[in-house]
Every structure is written in C-alpha cells, then in structure tokens.
C-alpha cells in the first residue's frame, strides 16, 4: 500500500500563488507516475498535471499550462504543485494521486481511473 498526504492549501487572492505538497509513504517503489487532480463543488474531478517520477516528464491540462508547475523530489518521495497567477475558477479540493507505469501521453495520464492511490485532498480557495 501507498499513503499520500497533501498539504499547502489555503485561501489566496486572485493573482496570488500557492504551493501544494504531496508526501508519499509505504511501498513507494511501486509508484512511477504521480498526478494532481481537482474537484470543485458540483463538478466532476478533473485532471491538473502529472509527472513521471523517473524521467521528470510532465503533462498539464490546458487550463493550467503556463501557470502551474509540477515537480518532484524523489529523495523525499514528495511531489509539488506550484500554482501561480491563481484565478477564482481554480478554487477546488486538490487531490494527489499515484499510479504504476502509465503510457506517457495525456490521454492516459489524465484519467483518474488509471491511478491506484489517492490522498485525502487539500482545499484551495481563490478570492476575486
């Protein structure tokens, strides 16, 4: 089993920045891909970004590309999501997820069903 714990959420004004952290523990050697998803009230869970832990290759949703950056520190088993130029529509609960090897294409990496492990989520609220 793998445990994921997110942190770093909070309340920020539009145009501001936040950095989310996701710390993994347990059988981390089974993880090859990690992603961030978000879910706003009344909406389905949507893909934000993902990273291949070995190569560092990344993919992003169009809505966040250029504003958000996903990165990892393999020595700390931690993945980060740096969020800049935040908008009110970025308000959501943000979830970290982990998966075994996936095809490195966004059509696969963006699917929640491809991920085996999920964190409890952290709230991000962007005020206008």
């Amino acid at each position: 089993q793998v445990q994921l714990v997110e942190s770093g959420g909070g309340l920020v004004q539009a145009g501001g920045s936040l950095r989310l952290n996701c710390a993994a523990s347990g059988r981390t050697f089974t993880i090859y891909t990690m992603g961030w998803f978000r879910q706003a009230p009344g909406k389905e869970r949507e893909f934000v970004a993902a990273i291949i832990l070995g190569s560092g290759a990344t993919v992003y949703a169009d809505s966040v590309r250029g504003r958000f950056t996903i990165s990892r520190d393999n020595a700390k088993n931690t993945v980060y999501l740096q969020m800049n130029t935040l908008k009110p529509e970025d308000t959501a609960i943000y979830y970290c997820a982990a998966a075994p090897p996936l095809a490195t294409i966004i059509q696969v990496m963006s699917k929640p069903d491809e991920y085996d492990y999920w964190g409890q989520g952290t709230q991000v609220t962007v005020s206008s």
Side-chain angles (χ1 to χ4, degrees), residues 65-117:
R65 187 177 294 112
R67 299 188 298 123
F68 292 10
T69 302
I70 188 171
S71 62
R72 90 288 194 212
D73 184 333
N74 290 338
K76 296 182 178 179
N77 291 322
T78 300
V79 170
Y80 307 97
L81 185 69
Q82 178 66 43
M83 305 185 295
N84 298 328
T85 319
L86 282 160
K87 305 175 181 180
E89 51 263 43
D90 294 319
T91 295
I93 299 174
Y94 283 70
Y95 297 92
C96 174
L102 301 178
T104 313
I105 54 175
I106 192 169
Q107 291 86 346
V108 174
M109 296 174 72
S110 63
K111 292 183 178 179
D113 289 347
E114 297 289 344
Y115 292 78
D116 295 334
Y117 304 103

Side-chain angles (χ1 to χ4, degrees), residues 5-75:
V5 178
E6 302 101 332
S7 61
L11 172 65
V12 64
Q13 289 188 333
S17 299
L18 281 175
R19 189 180 81 162
L20 304 183
N21 311 309
C22 175
S25 61
R27 296 171 61 87
T28 56
F29 59 88
T30 64
I31 301 172
Y32 288 81
T33 305
M34 293 190 71
W36 287 96
F37 293 77
R38 65 187 182 186
Q39 188 166 18
K43 295 187 177 181
E44 293 187 354
R45 189 167 298 188
E46 67 170 350
F47 171 74
V48 175
I51 188 167
I52 304 296
L53 297 180
S55 67
T58 58
V59 294
Y60 294 92
D62 290 342
S63 58
V64 306
R65 187 177 294 112
R67 299 188 298 123
F68 292 10
T69 302
I70 188 171
S71 62
R72 90 288 194 212
D73 184 333
N74 290 338

